[in-house]
Amino acid sequence: MSRLIRPPSSVLLLVGREDFTPPTSFGGAPCVATPDCLAVAVRDVEDGPTLAELTDDPGAAGLQDLMTLGDVWLESEGLLVLRDVYSREYGTVGVEAGTVRVRVLADDDSEPGHVVFLVGGPPQG
């Protein structure tokens, strides 16, 4: 899934449960997580749309040009949902129930205009 979006709060959430616990603060970081919710600060809507991608393909084109903002394990009930803070859904990916690795790649480390949520894969070594 890849689409241009304009999240009104400049925050994207990747959640693993219907009843998830969002982070309470970014604390200056561009990407933060709780056990079942990953939050990423993105470009302000006034500055243009954000290209958001949700994929499980580590060989997807262009990933090598992006920096890593985060690498976390999320608890999931079998589906990861990309949404904004107003619960508008932008994409989903099915996963095994349990914990799943998610790497966040982006074109900028403070207000990215291109964010990739790369789902799955082995732990970093």
Side-chain angles (χ1 to χ4, degrees):
M1 173 240 81
S2 175
R3 63 190 282 196
L4 282 172
I5 58 175
R6 293 181 181 268
S9 63
S10 300
V11 174
L12 288 175
L13 304 175
L14 186 65
V15 300
R17 301 176 192 269
E18 188 64 32
D19 186 25
F20 63 93
T21 304
T24 57
S25 169
F26 277 89
C31 177
V32 293
T34 62
D36 56 7
C37 178
L38 172 64
V40 178
V42 296
R43 170 187 301 179
D44 188 287
V45 69
E46 298 293 322
D47 294 331
T50 297
L51 176 59
E53 297 184 63
L54 181 58
T55 184
D56 59 2
D57 179 8
L63 295 186
Q64 68 278 2
D65 298 328
L66 302 174
M67 64 184 74
T68 300
L69 292 187
D71 192 346
V72 302
W73 289 87
L74 285 181
E75 296 173 0
S76 172
E77 295 172 336
L79 189 67
L80 293 178
V81 180
L82 183 62
R83 59 174 53 166
D84 63 28
V85 297
Y86 298 108
S87 295
R88 283 182 282 220
E89 293 186 10
Y90 299 110
T92 61
V93 64
V95 296
E96 291 284 328
T99 57
V100 62
R101 182 183 185 197
V102 178
R103 287 179 284 164
V104 180
L105 309 172
D107 64 349
D108 187 83
D109 64 359
S110 62
E111 290 187 5
H114 181 191
V115 178
V116 177
F117 297 86
L118 182 56
V119 177
Q124 281 186 319

